[in-house]
Structure formats: C-alpha cells, structure tokens
Amino acid sequence: MKLTKTAPAAVAEGDIRASDADRDRVAEILREALAEGRLDPEEHAERIDTVYRAKTMGELEPVLRDLPAARGSRPQPDPGGAAYGPGAPVPDQNLVAIFSASVRKGRWRAPARINAFALFGAIEIDLTEAVFAQQQVQINATSIFGSVEIRVPENITLRSNGSGVLGSFEVEFNDAEDADAPQVLVNGYAVLGSVEARPKRGAWIRDLRDRLRDGRRDLRHQLREEHRERHEQLRQEVWEGHLRLRAERRERRDRFRK
C-alpha cells in the first residue's frame, strides 16, 4: 500500500500571531479615536487592555470593528522590513521656497512623496533622523535659480532620475546592504540652480529604529500602568459604594427596630 503525505492545513488569517508592531498600530488608532471623542476613557482603557493581551490578529479585529479606521479592512499582519514606523500612511508633503528658505529636519515621519520647489530660494530636506513609514520615498525636486539639498542615512538606497539645465543636479548613488532597507528616489531638474543629494556619513537608521522600539516598549508599559491604576480606582469606587449601601441598610434597619 502506498502512503500519501497530506499537506499541513493552512493557518486562517485570524489565527496568525500578532506582532508588537500590529498591537502598536491598533493602539494608535484607538488613541486617535479617544482624541476625536469616539471612545470615552473607560472604553479606551478596556480596548487597550484587550490589544496588549491579544495573541492573534483575530483578537485584534473586534476592538476596531465600530471605528472608521476599520471600515476598509481588518488589521493586517506586519510585513516586517519595509515599515520602519508605526501609524497610518503620511500624506504627501510640499516644500516651497520663493525668495526664502524651507527646512525639514529632525525626527519626523517621511511621507511616500515629497515635492520640493525652490525659486530664488533654498530648501533643505534632512532624512537622517526621519521615521520611514514605508520602504520607498520619492522626492520631486525643482530648482530654478535656487537650491535643494537632501541628506539621507548612509545605510539606505539612494537613486535619482533628474537633469540639470545650465545648473547642477548631483546625486551620490548609494546601495544599502539590506535589501529591505528604505529607498529614496530623487527626480526633477535644476535650471540655473542646484539639486544635491548624498548620504550623511555616520547617520544610521538602525539607531533610530532601536530608539523607536524602546519608545514603544515604554509606551506599552505606561498604558498598562494607566489601565491598572484606572482599574484599581474603579474597584475602590465600587467597594466604597458597597460600603455606603451596607451602612444605609443598617441605618434603615435600626430605625425600623426603634
């Protein structure tokens, strides 16, 4: 008799194990719902507790079922690698400098597309401390009698597709060793102006990702502590109410006996 091997049963989507990034993403939606008044503090605390106790994607779905963020789709597993920061997609950003200067730097969430236009002005885009919410960022840079300067971490991929017309369009190509590292593509042109993009030596996105992970861990701890304190407060209020009712019943009983 010939034995046949049966293929293992596929895991249902709701049974997929939830990651820390999945829980953080759902918690962020709940925080926005609290800020918008869609949830009151008690509902928010209950759902946050459910989120950080969830083991699977199916356990995360109910906490978002009645919120606008959940209308399009159920929570999706974190694909890993490409997503470097939590939260919803960032809208496109426009930077304009006309006889002026525009600077974007520090710790900020980089959108999928940045449009930069400099006319007799200067624009600086510094991505060395940015949170990459997606793997690819496209920068459309136009410089007319102006300048656009772009700095990126040295462990990401940097590419360009631009040209200079009586101007300078210089991009220092860079290939990241990690295939899942963020990619920055610089497009556009420079007319009697300049567009320059290059890695900033010594700036590594890995360091920022470590800090973000530590920040998420501290945030989860803070939320759990807040929930524990709220739960203890509610339990104390219930107990005090119970004692008041007992005292009132005893007082009524004593008056009846008299």
Side-chain angles (χ1 to χ4, degrees), residues 188-214:
Y189 58 90
V191 179
L192 294 171
S194 67
V195 173
E196 176 186 317
R198 62 183 175 84
K200 183 176 180 180
R201 304 306 173 190
W204 290 73
I205 192 174
R206 182 187 59 204
D207 298 336
L208 180 58
R209 288 163 61 187
D210 291 342
R211 291 199 298 272
L212 287 174
R213 186 174 59 248
D214 293 339

Side-chain angles (χ1 to χ4, degrees), residues 148-217:
V148 178
E149 182 179 340
I150 302 165
R151 295 291 178 266
V152 301
E154 66 173 302
N155 61 331
I156 74 168
T157 296
L158 179 62
R159 288 284 181 267
S160 78
N161 183 20
S163 59
V165 181
L166 298 178
S168 173
F169 195 100
E170 298 182 2
V171 175
E172 183 179 329
F173 280 27
N174 189 63
D175 285 318
E177 296 181 1
D178 185 355
D180 292 328
Q183 302 171 8
V184 175
L185 175 63
V186 182
N187 297 327
Y189 58 90
V191 179
L192 294 171
S194 67
V195 173
E196 176 186 317
R198 62 183 175 84
K200 183 176 180 180
R201 304 306 173 190
W204 290 73
I205 192 174
R206 182 187 59 204
D207 298 336
L208 180 58
R209 288 163 61 187
D210 291 342
R211 291 199 298 272
L212 287 174
R213 186 174 59 248
D214 293 339
R216 289 197 297 268
R217 186 184 303 113

Side-chain angles (χ1 to χ4, degrees), residues 2-180:
K2 186 177 180 181
L3 299 177
T4 58
K5 295 183 178 179
T6 58
V11 178
E13 184 178 355
D15 294 332
I16 296 176
R17 302 286 290 190
S19 68
D20 285 344
D22 295 324
R23 286 183 279 268
D24 290 338
R25 196 158 44 242
V26 174
E28 179 66 24
I29 295 174
L30 293 179
R31 281 192 291 273
E32 292 178 1
L34 175 64
E36 294 170 355
R38 300 182 190 276
L39 297 175
D40 61 36
E42 291 186 12
E43 291 173 325
H44 176 261
E46 292 174 358
R47 298 195 188 196
I48 284 292
D49 183 62
T50 301
V51 166
Y52 286 111
R53 290 177 183 272
K55 300 298 184 182
T56 65
M57 299 302 296
E59 294 174 359
L60 289 175
E61 182 181 3
V63 301
L64 298 179
R65 186 169 294 152
D66 57 350
L67 297 177
R71 290 175 183 170
S73 62
R74 62 187 297 168
Q76 298 297 320
D78 177 31
Y84 285 80
V90 184
D92 296 351
Q93 186 160 115
N94 299 315
L95 300 176
V96 179
I98 301 177
F99 290 96
S100 62
S102 180
V103 178
R104 198 69 175 92
K105 63 191 301 183
R107 183 168 177 172
W108 60 297
R109 295 189 65 214
R113 180 176 286 105
I114 301 173
N115 301 310
F117 177 77
L119 175 63
F120 289 99
I123 293 177
E124 180 184 351
I125 302 173
D126 190 340
L127 295 169
T128 55
E129 295 185 35
V131 178
F132 288 82
Q134 59 283 311
Q135 187 177 21
Q136 188 172 78
V137 173
Q138 179 176 317
I139 301 177
N140 300 318
T142 302
S143 174
I144 303 175
F145 291 98
S147 66
V148 178
E149 182 179 340
I150 302 165
R151 295 291 178 266
V152 301
E154 66 173 302
N155 61 331
I156 74 168
T157 296
L158 179 62
R159 288 284 181 267
S160 78
N161 183 20
S163 59
V165 181
L166 298 178
S168 173
F169 195 100
E170 298 182 2
V171 175
E172 183 179 329
F173 280 27
N174 189 63
D175 285 318
E177 296 181 1
D178 185 355
D180 292 328

